[in-house]
Every structure is written in structure tokens, then in C-alpha cells.
Amino acid sequence: MTVTMVSVSDTAGGAEAHTVALGQGMRQRGHDVLLYGRCPGWEEHGLGRREIALGPKWSRRTMASGILRVPLERRRTQEIADSSIYYMQFKREQIALTAPLSRRAPVIWTEHGRWMGGAAGRLLLAGYARAAEHVSRVVCVSEAVADDLAPVVGRDKLVVVPNAIDTRCYAAPPAATRTALRERLLPSRFHDRRVAIIAARLHGAKRHDRAIAAALASGSALVVVGDGPDRERLERLSGDSADVHFTGHRDDVPDLLASADFYIYCGAETDGTPTCVLEAAAGGLPIVAFEGDPGTELVPRCGGLVIADPAELTAERAAALLDVGGSGVAYVEQRHGRETWLDAYEQIFGECLR
């Protein structure tokens, strides 16, 4: 089977990591995998790629000009080689390219998050519904995502496959290992502190300010891993506090998680199944999350606490969290392991070829 992915993104995020993991997994299972476009991390794993002249990934800022380019970008599908399956995950590729490619092979989409609101969401929905007439399957990362799409796609095309992680990369470390990691990775002022961590793209929609407020309310140090457009504002918000440390983008997230005591999750309204929660739980960390955020149903299963306001994370409650560390490891291994996830995608691809 040949799986051809069409995806253009220059930002390292959860969807891009999902694409790389799926490409790696399908190749390891003996399938041919090729990407048309760009995806951070793709070539670093030795996966094949070809360029295709598509414009920037759609956003509220680029959508109007992107819609005007649709006829041109549809013609550019002629540059894409024949394949067993075509796979897409971003709205521009889904809306613009599904119809012409579906005449050559089944097209599969993955939906990573809840449907966006506002005028942009309504504008996209009409085009999405038309494109969905030509898609074979839409893989949703949660039941909530599937519920959003059912009115415009139809339940017969929807299948839920929760996000997964490579649990081999995460482990609850012995105390001596955590101490060594702190000494190597964290500021010296954090070495003897209770340390919270958050690892996510720094975007206003994620509302990282809640994590900063909760950590400070609990008397914990906070490590903020990641980069993005909201970094400058967040650094101003934290002021000169010695209790908040920004690392920027890092490739050693498993080690940074292992150096911490608990994880604070702040989700955007459109998030699906948050892989950051799965990674933290697989590393033995208890989780703190906020009421109303997508994915918080995972938190009780992974060991943790859901709060309504940052001030609710008192020093006493933060200290009590440390007693439940490690309780989410088995759950993540059983329900969100990489091999089960790959089995599901391989089955979906195979069914669409019959």
C-alpha cells in the first residue's frame, strides 16, 4: 500500500507530530509513505518528501487569500503521483484538494480538534461539507470531535481513534534520576523546589496565564516549555518572578517532564485529545487541569485534579498531588499506546481499499 500525505506546515505542533508518527509507523509496517508539502520533523526521520507549490496554512489571517487560490491549488494536484490512499489533516488541503484526488484513490482525513466558532468557522463549514462528499473516512481524535462533524459529514464516514504516544519514550524516573535531570536541565534555584511544568505551543488560545497563576498560588516553581506568538506577553505577565522559567522550543521534552513533579494542562477551546496530558501521565506525573477545557475527562483517569480557578491550587493541594504520581501510566499504556493506534489506521486504510 502507498500512503501519500498532503500537508503544508512550518509550525511544530501536535498535528505535525501526529503526521510524522503515522508516516514512521506505516513505513515500519512495510508500506510506502510519501509527503507532498512540508512538516517539521518529517525529513529528520528519513521519510520521503516532494515539494508542492501550495500557499501558507489557512488561518483567520490567511483564509481569504487562501480561498482565492483554491482553483490554482486544485490544478496542482496533477503533480501528485498516483497512490493507494491520500491522507490530509488541515482544512485547506481537505477543502481544496479532496475532490480532485478522490477521483484517483480514497481520501482519508484526520480531525484533531473541535470545530472553530465565529465567522471563520461558519465560512469553513460550508466548504468542508461540500468536500466531505468526496472523503472516504474522517478519523476523529475524540467523540466530541465526531459529534461536531456528524451534522455535516454523516456518522457513516466518521471513526474515532484517540491520539496515542510512544510510551517507550516516557517513564516515571527514580528519585535519583529526577535529581540528576534537574541538575542538568533546570535553573539551580529549582533544584530543591516543587516543580510544575507545562509543554505546549505558546499561543493566546491556550491561556498559559492560568498555569502561571496556579503555580504561583501553590508556591511551586514553573517550567514553561515551548515557543510561539504569546511568549512575549507571558514573559511580561510573569514579570521578574524567579519562580517561572521559559525554556523555548526543546527536543528533550521527555527528560524535562521527568525532571518535574506535576503537570499543568491549559487547553484551547478547539483542542481534541491533548497528547501533552498523555505524555505527562506516561511519565508518571499527576495532572492539574481547568474546568471546561477539552480533554479534561482524561485527568481523573491519569491521576490529577480539575480546578475552576488558578487560586484553587493551594500549596496543600499541590503537595497532595505528589502522592498520586504514576497512577496514569497503566491507563495510557493500555488505551493510548502507539501500536494500537497504528493498528486502527492500518485497518481504516485497508477498509477503504476494498
Side-chain angles (χ1 to χ4, degrees):
M1 177 167 58
T2 300
V3 179
T4 297
M5 302 183 172
V6 186
S7 182
V8 176
S9 176
D10 296 307
T11 302
E16 290 77 11
H18 182 285
T19 298
V20 174
L22 184 58
Q24 277 187 290
M26 290 295 107
R27 185 183 63 176
Q28 289 168 358
R29 292 182 173 211
H31 305 294
D32 295 325
V33 179
L34 182 64
L35 171 72
Y36 278 83
R38 298 184 302 279
C39 181
W42 186 267
E43 291 179 292
E44 290 87 332
H45 289 87
L47 295 163
R49 183 183 77 87
R50 294 180 186 171
E51 191 58 69
I52 185 169
L54 301 180
K57 182 177 173 182
W58 281 2
S59 66
R60 285 181 169 86
R61 181 177 56 84
T62 65
M63 191 182 305
S65 59
I67 290 172
L68 293 176
R69 283 194 301 271
V70 166
L72 172 63
E73 295 190 341
R74 281 181 175 158
R75 290 196 293 273
R76 287 184 172 147
T77 60
Q78 297 170 13
E79 304 169 20
I80 298 175
D82 289 342
S83 182
S84 308
I85 292 286
Y86 294 111
Y87 173 86
M88 304 171 190
Q89 63 176 346
F90 293 131
K91 298 298 181 292
R92 184 268 306 281
E93 289 85 348
Q94 293 168 345
I95 293 172
L97 308 183
T98 294
L101 288 175
S102 68
R103 292 192 282 269
R104 298 161 60 184
V107 176
I108 313 297
W109 297 348
T110 288
E111 287 303 331
H112 294 278
R114 305 295 304 274
W115 197 262
M116 69 177 68
R122 291 191 295 272
L123 178 64
L124 274 178
L125 194 60
Y128 189 90
R130 288 192 297 271
E133 296 174 6
H134 305 282
V135 74
S136 293
R137 291 288 188 281
V138 181
V139 182
C140 304
V141 302
S142 71
E143 291 290 350
V145 171
D147 289 342
D148 284 350
L149 299 181
V152 293
V153 176
R155 280 285 178 183
D156 59 317
K157 291 185 176 182
L158 300 176
V159 58
V160 176
V161 179
N163 280 336
I165 62 171
D166 187 351
T167 55
R168 296 170 300 179
C169 296
Y170 304 90
T177 300
R178 177 173 280 118
T179 297
L181 287 170
R182 287 190 181 195
E183 291 175 354
R184 179 166 62 87
L185 299 172
L186 303 187
S188 58
R189 64 185 184 275
F190 286 10
H191 291 174
D192 297 319
R193 298 285 305 282
R194 181 174 58 241
V195 177
I197 189 169
I198 180 170
R201 184 167 181 256
L202 305 187
H203 190 283
K206 298 283 188 180
R207 296 170 289 171
H208 282 68
D209 48 291
R210 296 175 297 167
I212 294 172
L216 296 179
S218 70
S220 304
L222 176 66
V223 177
V224 182
V225 183
D227 214 338
D230 204 32
R231 178 167 178 170
E232 184 177 345
R233 183 187 73 88
L234 292 169
E235 288 180 332
R236 288 199 308 269
L237 181 68
S238 61
D240 297 324
S241 174
D243 288 338
V244 183
H245 174 62
F246 291 84
T247 72
H249 174 75
R250 296 288 288 263
D251 293 320
D252 55 350
V253 173
D255 284 345
L256 284 162
L257 291 173
S259 73
D261 294 302
F262 68 98
Y263 189 90
I264 302 180
Y265 163 60
C266 294
E269 292 180 355
T270 56
D271 282 353
T273 302
T275 54
C276 59
V277 170
L278 302 178
E279 291 167 352
L285 297 183
I287 317 292
V288 174
F290 294 89
E291 288 180 6
D293 283 2
T296 52
E297 71 277 0
L298 289 169
V299 173
R301 302 168 188 163
C302 294
L305 175 68
V306 179
I307 58 178
D309 184 88
E312 293 180 15
L313 188 65
T314 62
E316 292 74 17
R317 297 184 87 177
L321 275 175
L322 307 192
D323 295 331
V324 299
S327 61
V329 173
Y331 173 80
V332 174
E333 288 178 347
Q334 293 166 8
R335 298 295 299 274
H336 296 277
R338 182 66 53 80
E339 292 306 312
T340 301
W341 177 77
L342 287 170
D343 288 344
Y345 268 95
E346 196 171 36
Q347 179 178 342
I348 292 163
F349 291 167
E351 289 173 351
C352 289
L353 292 175
R354 293 172 189 163

